[in-house]
Amino acid sequence: MPRANDTVSKVFYKGRSEDFIVFIDDLEILQKWKNDRSIALANVLNGWKIFVSHHHGAHGVLDSASNAALENEFGTHNEDECMVKILEGGEYQSSTSREREGGKNDSKGPIGIAR
Protein backbone atom coordinates (compact mmCIF):
# COMPACT_ATOMS: atom_id res chain seq x y z
CA MET A 1 0.00 0.00 0.00
CA PRO A 2 1.51 3.39 -0.97
CA ARG A 3 2.30 5.71 1.90
CA ALA A 4 3.69 9.20 2.53
CA ASN A 5 2.21 10.99 -0.46
CA ASP A 6 0.63 13.83 1.53
CA THR A 7 1.17 17.52 0.83
CA VAL A 8 3.40 19.29 3.33
CA SER A 9 2.85 23.04 3.79
CA LYS A 10 5.38 25.17 5.63
CA VAL A 11 6.67 28.69 6.04
CA PHE A 12 10.42 29.15 5.60
CA TYR A 13 12.11 32.15 7.24
CA LYS A 14 15.68 32.94 6.19
CA GLY A 15 17.28 34.41 9.29
CA ARG A 16 20.62 36.09 9.88
CA SER A 17 22.09 33.20 11.85
CA GLU A 18 19.61 30.33 11.29
CA ASP A 19 16.86 29.25 8.89
CA PHE A 20 13.51 28.75 10.64
CA ILE A 21 10.54 26.61 9.59
CA VAL A 22 7.01 26.23 10.93
CA PHE A 23 4.46 23.85 9.47
CA ILE A 24 0.98 25.09 8.60
CA ASP A 25 -2.29 23.47 7.59
CA ASP A 26 -2.72 25.27 4.25
CA LEU A 27 -2.11 28.51 2.39
CA GLU A 28 -5.73 29.65 2.44
CA ILE A 29 -5.98 29.76 6.24
CA LEU A 30 -2.57 31.48 6.42
CA GLN A 31 -3.76 34.24 4.07
CA LYS A 32 -6.99 34.64 6.06
CA TRP A 33 -4.95 34.93 9.28
CA LYS A 34 -2.71 37.63 7.74
CA ASN A 35 -5.83 39.74 7.06
CA ASP A 36 -7.76 38.80 10.21
CA ARG A 37 -5.69 38.36 13.39
CA SER A 38 -8.77 37.22 15.32
CA ILE A 39 -8.10 33.75 13.82
CA ALA A 40 -6.19 31.74 16.40
CA LEU A 41 -2.63 30.67 15.57
CA ALA A 42 -3.64 27.13 16.53
CA ASN A 43 -5.93 27.10 13.47
CA VAL A 44 -3.07 28.16 11.19
CA LEU A 45 -0.21 26.04 12.48
CA ASN A 46 0.19 22.30 12.07
CA GLY A 47 1.92 21.64 15.38
CA TRP A 48 3.23 24.16 17.86
CA LYS A 49 6.94 23.88 17.11
CA ILE A 50 9.62 26.03 15.48
CA PHE A 51 12.37 24.19 13.63
CA VAL A 52 15.84 25.19 12.41
CA SER A 53 17.64 23.66 9.44
CA HIS A 54 21.20 24.81 10.29
CA HIS A 55 21.70 26.79 7.05
CA HIS A 56 20.42 23.98 4.84
CA GLY A 57 17.48 26.00 3.56
CA ALA A 58 13.97 24.59 3.65
CA HIS A 59 15.15 20.99 3.26
CA GLY A 60 17.28 18.61 5.21
CA VAL A 61 17.34 17.58 8.84
CA LEU A 62 15.23 19.77 11.10
CA ASP A 63 15.94 20.34 14.78
CA SER A 64 13.91 22.16 17.40
CA ALA A 65 14.83 25.82 17.64
CA SER A 66 16.61 26.62 20.90
CA ASN A 67 15.68 29.59 23.07
CA ALA A 68 19.09 31.10 22.26
CA ALA A 69 18.51 30.83 18.49
CA LEU A 70 15.08 32.47 18.84
CA GLU A 71 16.49 35.19 21.10
CA ASN A 72 19.36 35.93 18.69
CA GLU A 73 17.09 36.22 15.67
CA PHE A 74 13.87 37.73 17.01
CA GLY A 75 14.92 39.42 20.26
CA THR A 76 12.67 37.10 22.28
CA HIS A 77 12.31 33.41 22.95
CA ASN A 78 8.51 33.67 23.34
CA GLU A 79 7.35 31.11 20.78
CA ASP A 80 4.05 32.91 20.08
CA GLU A 81 5.84 36.12 19.10
CA CYS A 82 8.47 34.24 17.07
CA MET A 83 5.84 32.26 15.17
CA VAL A 84 4.01 35.47 14.25
CA LYS A 85 7.26 36.96 12.92
CA ILE A 86 8.02 33.81 10.92
CA LEU A 87 4.51 33.69 9.44
CA GLU A 88 4.63 37.41 8.58
CA GLY A 89 8.12 37.48 7.07
CA GLY A 90 8.56 33.95 5.80
CA GLU A 91 8.01 32.32 2.45
CA TYR A 92 5.22 29.78 1.95
CA GLN A 93 6.38 26.46 0.50
CA SER A 94 4.48 23.32 -0.36
CA SER A 95 5.69 19.92 -1.45
CA THR A 96 4.33 16.45 -1.92
CA SER A 97 6.26 13.62 -0.36
CA ARG A 98 7.39 10.83 -2.64
CA GLU A 99 5.18 7.80 -2.62
CA ARG A 100 6.87 4.71 -1.27
CA GLU A 101 5.88 1.11 -0.88
CA GLY A 102 5.93 -0.67 2.42
CA GLY A 103 6.43 -4.36 3.09
CA LYS A 104 3.42 -6.41 2.10
CA ASN A 105 3.93 -9.60 4.06
CA ASP A 106 7.20 -9.78 5.87
CA SER A 107 6.41 -13.22 7.25
CA LYS A 108 6.97 -14.75 3.78
CA GLY A 109 10.66 -14.02 3.96
CA PRO A 110 12.74 -13.04 0.92
CA ILE A 111 11.00 -13.73 -2.36
CA GLY A 112 12.87 -15.38 -5.21
CA ILE A 113 15.18 -17.52 -3.09
CA ALA A 114 14.96 -21.24 -3.66
CA ARG A 115 14.14 -23.18 -0.54
Side-chain angles (χ1 to χ4, degrees):
M1 169 185 294
R3 298 187 315 246
N5 53 348
D6 292 334
T7 300
V8 176
S9 298
K10 59 189 167 189
V11 175
F12 171 73
Y13 182 92
K14 178 82 171 149
R16 294 182 308 268
S17 59
E18 286 286 354
D19 298 335
F20 297 89
I21 295 171
V22 293
F23 290 94
I24 62 171
D25 284 328
D26 70 68
L27 179 59
E28 184 178 334
I29 193 79
L30 175 63
Q31 291 173 333
K32 286 181 183 177
W33 173 83
K34 284 184 176 183
N35 295 322
D36 179 10
R37 294 300 171 96
S38 67
I39 297 172
L41 273 178
N43 294 334
V44 178
L45 297 168
N46 185 349
W48 203 265
K49 195 121 181 114
I50 301 173
F51 296 95
V52 292
S53 65
H54 304 292
H55 302 294
H56 289 107
H59 306 287
V61 176
L62 301 178
D63 290 324
S64 295
S66 68
N67 285 345
L70 295 174
E71 190 77 41
N72 288 338
E73 185 65 36
F74 303 109
T76 180
H77 63 271
N78 180 309
E79 286 188 349
D80 294 354
E81 293 176 27
C82 294
M83 285 182 189
V84 167
K85 291 178 181 181
I86 292 168
L87 292 173
E88 288 174 338
E91 172 189 335
Y92 171 79
Q93 296 183 350
S94 175
S95 63
T96 303
S97 300
R98 260 188 17 220
E99 185 176 290
R100 63 180 188 264
E101 291 287 328
K104 300 221 182 334
N105 188 350
D106 294 334
S107 66
K108 284 185 178 180
I111 296 179
I113 297 176
R115 295 179 183 191

